[in-house]
Amino acid sequence: MKIENLDKFLQEIGHAPLLSADQELELLKAIREKGFECDEMEQLSQSNMRFVAALAAQYQNRGLKLEELIPIGIEGVKKAAMTYDFESNIGFKKDAVSVMRQCLEEAVKEQIHNLVEQFAELQRKRYRFWMQDFENEDTGEKVSVERRELLVAEPAAEEKEILKQICNGAKEANTEDLNAFWYESKGSPGFSNDDILPILQELSERGDVPATDALNNIDRLWEMVQKGDKDAALYLAHHYAYGNEEHGVFIDKKQAKELYDLAGWDDYDPNEGSDVEWEVVESDYSLRGDPAELDKVEHDMWVLAEKYGVPDDGLGGMYVPFDILFKKLVGSSYYEGNITKMRRAAANNLLFHAESNMSEPLLYALKRYYPQIEVNCLDDGEGFGEAGIAVDE
């Protein structure tokens, strides 16, 4: 069956007569007696054409057009007719749906495989390849290495369309094809993980650790670890060892060590790097919100300063060590720096000035611990003037 004119075909099937359940049952009995190629099979197919078209439309934009999908759906109807269980209480259409879906999904899966290969070929055309010989310094043996030079920086419209089709068909695609496509696209200029988000999400659902990590899905990685996945433990250990504050993971070397041990990784030393000198970064932070909520923040800082550092000197100067502050905010003590100034610029605006090795951890820690307050990291000097006086714009 080949559809030459889709619009005309859809108009024609809209007028096709429908069969009653009894009529459909009689046709099925005749088909079972006469076999696959019979007039009754054709009649059954024609009467279900609208049903097939509606189902096939759900699989569009995954590499196949509707006029290609409808004939595949019809084949599903015919297969279902040959296997229908007359003793069941399930109507034919309900029984046929699963067979039709299987046929359509297999067709999409095969087409996605073809698209992945097409994409890889188009990617190769964006480069110039050549072999370069090197000499192994230890053995003197010559080694040939393939080199490449990017010729076309911007992907073609055809590549972008293929990417779209594969993303749409991610749920039907083979895991191997999804991983192959990710490999081709992630190193390609013009594409990012955001462009292939449905693929990464599908791989993650199937238990793929690298894809889950690429999504920064920390909760999902923990689920995998709890099921005994050593690869997930290793990826998660990296997060705790080095921090991924934006996604809610703050440096916790004890947790990192436990995860590295689960992964069978013996090379991690939680004390390594603790004496490394760091470059001072000065940052201002603005906290805006309900005055009563900001009162609580101020109170928290005063308590920490009085107990572990230097309390407010009346001019906005103070000292709250980061290792204590982060222990309170996120349960971690592995951050370098201090809050050195605090000033209430307005009833709804509290300002901090900090000296640290990086500005982002405190920003994300404050956002996490005080979710009801708007927290922003300001440009240098925007929050406090040279004399340490808060400025409210």
Side-chain angles (χ1 to χ4, degrees):
M1 177 184 179
K2 187 175 181 181
I3 300 174
E4 300 290 349
N5 187 320
L6 179 62
D7 290 336
K8 181 179 178 182
F9 173 82
L10 294 176
Q11 288 179 355
E12 289 176 351
I13 65 173
H15 302 294
L18 299 177
L19 298 175
S20 66
D22 290 339
Q23 290 173 320
E24 211 163 47
L25 189 60
E26 290 302 316
L27 287 176
L28 288 167
K29 291 178 179 178
I31 290 168
R32 193 61 58 84
E33 291 178 5
K34 298 180 180 181
F36 201 86
E37 300 291 340
C38 63
D39 292 339
E40 285 82 0
M41 180 71 87
E42 183 64 24
Q43 188 178 349
L44 181 70
S45 299
Q46 290 295 325
S47 68
N48 282 283
M49 203 68 77
R50 273 176 282 182
F51 174 55
V52 171
L55 187 63
Q58 298 176 17
Y59 294 85
Q60 290 183 96
N61 301 316
R62 306 181 194 186
L64 294 170
K65 299 177 181 178
L66 183 57
E67 53 264 42
E68 297 172 305
L69 291 165
I70 291 174
I72 296 168
I74 290 298
E75 286 304 307
V77 171
K78 294 180 177 180
K79 285 183 179 180
M82 297 301 296
T83 58
Y84 180 67
D85 182 4
F86 291 95
E87 300 300 322
S88 72
N89 294 321
I90 301 174
F92 174 67
K93 282 186 174 62
K94 190 172 182 179
D95 181 71
V97 165
S98 60
V99 181
M100 292 163 60
R101 286 196 181 279
Q102 185 178 7
C103 291
L104 290 164
E105 287 169 8
E106 284 298 322
V108 169
K109 183 183 294 185
E110 183 178 349
Q111 182 61 11
I112 294 296
H113 176 77
N114 295 335
L115 289 175
V116 170
E117 291 186 339
Q118 288 178 36
F119 184 85
E121 185 61 32
L122 289 169
Q123 287 293 290
R124 283 189 283 271
K125 290 180 180 179
R126 295 173 65 187
Y127 294 87
R128 177 176 72 88
F129 294 90
W130 73 95
M131 300 300 295
Q132 186 169 353
D133 294 332
F134 295 90
E135 185 175 304
N136 188 310
E137 294 180 358
D138 296 327
T139 65
E141 182 182 358
K142 287 188 176 180
V143 180
S144 294
V145 178
E146 185 179 71
R147 304 291 299 277
R148 69 179 185 176
E149 176 190 7
L150 181 66
L151 300 176
V152 182
E154 182 66 22
E158 184 179 359
E159 292 170 79
K160 293 180 180 179
E161 180 59 29
I162 288 176
L163 181 144
K164 179 181 175 182
Q165 300 280 339
I166 294 174
C167 285
N168 290 341
K171 289 192 176 299
E172 288 77 31
N174 285 315
T175 300
E176 295 78 9
D177 287 329
L178 293 180
N179 269 311
F181 181 72
W182 183 24
Y183 175 81
E184 289 290 343
S185 64
K186 68 181 178 181
S188 175
F191 296 112
S192 69
N193 282 348
D194 289 339
D195 295 315
I196 60 168
L197 189 59
I199 291 171
L200 294 176
Q201 290 172 334
E202 181 60 28
L203 284 171
S204 178
E205 284 296 317
R206 298 182 190 185
D208 188 279
V209 174
T212 304
D213 187 68
L215 292 168
N216 287 295
N217 191 336
I218 306 302
D219 290 340
R220 176 73 170 144
L221 285 173
W222 269 116
E223 289 176 9
M224 294 175 171
V225 169
Q226 289 162 3
K227 292 178 181 178
D229 193 315
K230 291 187 176 182
D231 288 338
L234 182 60
Y235 276 83
L236 199 53
H238 293 336
H239 285 288
Y240 282 98
Y242 302 107
N244 185 355
E245 297 87 358
E246 184 178 2
H247 294 93
V249 179
F250 292 79
I251 292 175
D252 187 333
K253 294 187 177 182
K254 181 182 177 182
Q255 182 67 79
K257 183 67 169 70
E258 292 176 359
L259 288 165
Y260 277 123
D261 288 344
L262 282 175
W265 184 291
D266 301 325
D267 298 333
Y268 177 71
D269 180 0
N271 299 312
E272 185 178 352
S274 58
D275 297 326
V276 176
E277 292 187 7
W278 43 272
E279 182 180 350
V280 175
V281 176
E282 296 195 37
S283 307
D284 293 340
Y285 304 85
S286 170
L287 288 74
R288 289 183 178 272
D290 181 83
E293 296 296 334
L294 293 180
D295 288 343
K296 294 177 184 177
V297 180
E298 273 193 289
H299 175 74
D300 289 342
M301 296 305 153
W302 283 333
V303 169
L304 293 178
E306 289 174 355
K307 189 172 182 180
Y308 302 102
V310 177
D312 190 344
D313 60 8
L315 298 175
M318 65 184 308
Y319 169 74
V320 178
F322 266 24
D323 56 345
I324 298 299
L325 176 61
F326 272 84
K327 194 71 175 175
K328 173 181 178 61
L329 297 179
V330 295
S332 172
S333 58
Y334 295 98
Y335 286 87
E336 304 285 355
N338 313 290
I339 288 181
T340 60
K341 297 173 187 175
M342 179 173 69
R343 179 63 61 86
R344 194 70 169 258
N348 66 341
N349 186 203
L350 179 64
L351 296 172
F352 290 149
H353 181 81
E355 297 175 354
S356 59
N357 60 333
M358 60 184 76
S359 60
E360 290 83 1
L362 181 56
L363 171 68
Y364 296 124
L366 290 169
K367 284 184 174 182
R368 180 176 176 181
Y369 194 78
Y370 302 109
Q372 72 278 21
I373 294 173
E374 178 188 346
V375 185
N376 291 293
C377 187
L378 307 176
D379 294 334
D380 287 350
E382 187 177 337
F384 287 84
E386 291 183 2
I389 300 173
V391 178
D392 185 18
E393 298 288 342

